[in-house]
Amino acid sequence: MPNPTTGKSTLWLQLPQAARVTFVVHDIQGRQIWASGVRDLGAGRWPLVWESAGMRVGVYLARVQVEGQTWVRRIAVLR
């Protein structure tokens, strides 16, 4: 949220227990353009933030991996 965005996007992740989390953003052609690195997060609700300011207008794919499971969300960047 917000989506579409003109700056910062936040995805919220709810973890029932501690887990290793990776948050990566790809352009629509599949090229990785940003990564938060691997983080060990405890149980609870966590914000995953991507600063999209300065990125080209378009659709990006946010990929979150948690202990072998993957979720992908589209983020539209506008001016």
Side-chain angles (χ1 to χ4, degrees):
M1 80 178 196
N3 195 10
T5 185
T6 57
K8 182 187 334 182
S9 291
T10 303
L11 304 175
W12 288 94
L13 178 64
Q14 181 72 40
L15 296 174
Q17 60 191 26
R20 182 158 285 187
V21 176
T22 304
F23 178 32
V24 178
V25 178
H26 297 268
D27 65 14
I28 200 69
Q29 294 175 340
R31 295 177 294 220
Q32 180 177 313
I33 59 161
W34 181 86
S36 69
V38 177
R39 297 188 289 172
D40 291 317
L41 300 177
R45 188 170 187 227
W46 293 92
L48 303 176
V49 179
W50 175 49
E51 290 284 347
S52 58
M55 299 303 301
R56 290 181 151 176
V57 170
V59 176
Y60 295 85
L61 303 173
R63 182 173 50 97
V64 177
Q65 289 184 305
V66 179
E67 301 292 338
Q69 291 187 314
T70 303
W71 293 271
V72 177
R73 296 290 181 263
R74 290 182 300 273
I75 299 174
V77 174
L78 304 177
R79 293 214 189 257

